C-alpha cells in the first residue's frame, strides 16, 4: 500500500515543479509568436533563441515531473494536455506582444526574477532541480543582459521609444508582485529545504529592476494595487488563446509523437 506521506510529498514537489516550468513554457510560446516579426534579423533570432532556451529548460522540468507523477504521464501530457486551470504560470508571462516595448518589458521584468530564482535553486539538495538550474543559469544570465540592454536603448533613446517603453513598464508592473506570491506547494517545498522561498529576494529584485529603469531615463511605477491569480490557476483572458494554439496538434492528432 502506498505511503500517503510520500505521496503527499511527491504531489507537492510535482506542483512546485509546475510553478517554475509553466512560466518558461508560456513565455516561450509568446516569444515564438514573434518568429519572423522582430524589428531586425539579429533581434528576431535572439528572441527565437531565448524561446528555445526556455523550452529546453521546460522539457527538463516536465521530464522530472512525469517521473514522479502518480498518473503515468509523459512530458507531452503535462505540457500539452492540461486544462487552463491546471497551469501554474504567473500572469506576467501570458501578457500579449502588444508592441516591441511590451515584449522587452515583459522579458525584462521576468528575467531578473528568473535569474535570482535559478541562482538559489542551484543549491537545492534535490539533485535534478539543482542540475537544471546550474545548466539554465548561463542561458538566463544572457536573457537578463539582453532585455536590460534593450530597456536602456529604448528608454534612453528617442522620445517615441521612451514613451513606448514607459507605457509597457507602467502596464506590466502590476503583475510583478505575483512573482513572489507563494503557493502551498512552494511553501511546503521551501519548508523541506528543496524549494526556494521566493519572497526572500523580493526586495533585491525591486532594487535592481528600479536601478536599471532609472538608468534608462524611465520612471519606476508606484502601484499600490497588484494583480495575481495565475499561480493558483486563475488566468487572464489571454491564456485560453495561448493554449488553443499551443495544444492544437496534440489535441487534433492524439498521441502523436515525433
Amino acid at each position: 500500500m502506498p505511503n500517503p506521506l510520500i505521496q503527499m510529498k511527491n504531489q507537492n514537489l510535482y506542483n512546485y515543479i509546475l510553478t517554475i516550468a509553466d512560466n518558461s513554457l508560456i513565455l516561450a510560446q509568446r516569444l515564438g509568436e514573434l518568429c519572423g516579426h522582430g524589428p531586425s534579423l539579429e533581434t528576431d533570432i535572439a528572441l527565437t533563441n531565448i524561446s528555445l532556451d526556455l523550452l529546453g529548460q521546460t522539457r527538463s522540468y516536465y521530464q522530472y515531473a512525469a517521473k514522479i507523477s502518480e498518473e503515468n504521464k509523459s512530458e507531452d501530457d503535462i505540457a500539452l494536455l492540461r486544462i487552463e486551470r491546471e497551469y501554474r504560470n504567473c500572469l506576467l508571462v501570458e501578457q500579449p506582444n502588444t508592441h516591441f516595448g511590451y515584449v522587452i518589458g515583459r522579458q525584462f521584468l521576468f528575467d531578473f526574477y528568473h535569474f535570482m530564482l535559478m541562482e538559489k535553486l542551484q543549491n537545492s539538495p534535490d539533485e535534478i532541480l539543482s542540475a537544471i538550474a546550474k545548466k539554465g543559469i548561463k542561458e538566463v544570465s544572457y536573457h537578463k543582459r539582453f532585455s536590460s540592454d534593450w530597456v536602456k536603448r529604448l528608454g534612453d533613446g528617442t522620445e517615441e521609444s521612451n514613451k513606448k517603453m514607459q507605457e509597457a513598464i507602467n502596464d506590466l508592473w502590476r503583475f510583478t508582485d505575483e512573482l513572489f506570491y507563494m503557493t502551498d506547494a512552494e511553501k511546503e517545498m521551501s519548508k523541506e529545504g528543496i524549494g526556494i522561498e521566493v519572497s526572500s529576494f523580493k526586495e533585491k529584485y525591486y532594487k535592481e529592476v528600479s536601478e536599471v529603469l532609472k538608468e534608462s531615463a524611465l520612471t519606476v511605477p508606484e502601484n499600490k494595487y497588484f494583480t495575481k491569480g495565475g499561480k493558483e490557476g486563475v488566468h487572464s483572458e489571454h491564456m485560453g488563446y495561448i493554449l488553443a494554439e499551443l495544444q492544437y496538434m496534440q489535441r487534433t492528432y492524439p498521441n502523436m509523437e515525433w
Side-chain angles (χ1 to χ4, degrees):
M1 183 176 178
N3 186 321
L5 291 177
I6 293 175
Q7 284 185 318
M8 186 179 294
K9 183 176 179 179
N10 279 353
Q11 188 60 47
N12 282 328
L13 179 56
Y14 176 85
N15 288 335
Y16 178 69
I17 293 168
L18 296 189
T19 64
I20 302 174
D22 287 352
N23 282 329
S24 296
L25 175 69
I26 299 303
L27 184 54
Q29 180 68 12
R30 273 298 189 211
L31 292 173
E33 295 171 10
L34 295 164
C35 187
H37 299 283
S40 66
L41 181 60
E42 182 182 4
T43 307
D44 191 300
I45 292 171
L47 289 170
T48 303
N49 281 335
I50 290 172
S51 177
L52 291 172
D53 287 343
L54 292 171
L55 282 175
Q57 293 166 23
T58 301
R59 283 202 68 194
S60 297
Y61 287 124
Y62 286 161
Q63 285 167 356
Y64 186 22
K67 184 179 177 183
I68 63 171
S69 171
E70 302 287 333
E71 300 172 31
N72 195 31
K73 291 181 177 179
S74 70
E75 60 176 293
D76 285 341
D77 294 334
I78 297 171
L80 302 170
L81 294 178
R82 282 179 287 158
I83 60 173
E84 183 178 319
R85 291 297 295 266
E86 292 174 339
Y87 285 83
R88 293 292 180 258
N89 59 281
C90 60
L91 297 175
L92 175 65
V93 297
E94 63 194 56
Q95 299 311 301
N97 302 320
T98 306
H99 57 60
F100 188 60
Y102 273 81
V103 173
I104 294 301
R106 183 186 60 208
Q107 192 69 39
F108 168 72
L109 294 172
F110 178 73
D111 286 343
F112 272 74
Y113 163 81
H114 198 194
F115 180 81
M116 292 176 189
L117 174 65
M118 298 289 258
E119 205 172 28
K120 289 185 176 290
L121 198 59
Q122 291 180 104
N123 300 317
S124 172
D126 184 300
E127 293 181 1
I128 298 178
L129 289 179
S130 175
I132 295 171
K134 284 175 180 174
K135 181 185 177 187
I137 196 166
K138 297 170 187 174
E139 298 167 338
V140 177
S141 177
Y142 162 72
H143 303 169
K144 179 186 169 190
R145 188 168 67 252
F146 173 84
S147 60
S148 296
D149 286 348
W150 265 109
V151 167
K152 292 172 187 175
R153 288 175 69 180
L154 295 173
D156 201 21
T158 65
E159 183 180 345
E160 181 66 14
S161 70
N162 175 276
K163 179 184 173 184
K164 293 287 189 183
M165 195 68 248
Q166 187 68 63
E167 175 193 7
I169 292 296
N170 288 347
D171 201 19
L172 296 169
W173 194 260
R174 62 197 166 106
F175 300 112
T176 56
D177 191 63
E178 187 189 15
L179 296 168
F180 305 98
Y181 168 78
M182 292 187 67
T183 63
D184 289 341
E186 286 178 293
K187 290 173 184 174
E188 285 301 317
M189 287 297 98
S190 175
K191 202 181 295 181
E192 293 272 350
I194 292 171
I196 307 305
E197 187 176 345
V198 290
S199 56
S200 66
F201 56 84
K202 181 177 181 178
E203 186 178 337
K204 181 184 178 186
Y205 169 86
Y206 280 112
K207 181 177 181 291
E208 291 191 9
V209 165
S210 297
E211 285 173 356
V212 175
L213 293 178
K214 289 173 184 174
E215 188 181 338
S216 309
L218 295 166
T219 303
V220 179
E222 296 182 0
N223 293 40
K224 292 182 179 178
Y225 301 100
F226 292 87
T227 307
K228 63 178 186 291
K231 291 177 81 172
E232 296 287 3
V234 182
H235 296 282
S236 69
E237 67 275 20
H238 308 297
M239 189 64 170
Y241 295 101
I242 294 172
L243 294 182
E245 209 169 79
L246 176 68
Q247 298 181 344
Y248 174 78
M249 290 295 286
Q250 191 61 248
R251 291 195 181 278
T252 305
Y253 303 99
N255 303 316
M256 180 182 68
E257 294 181 359
W258 291 105

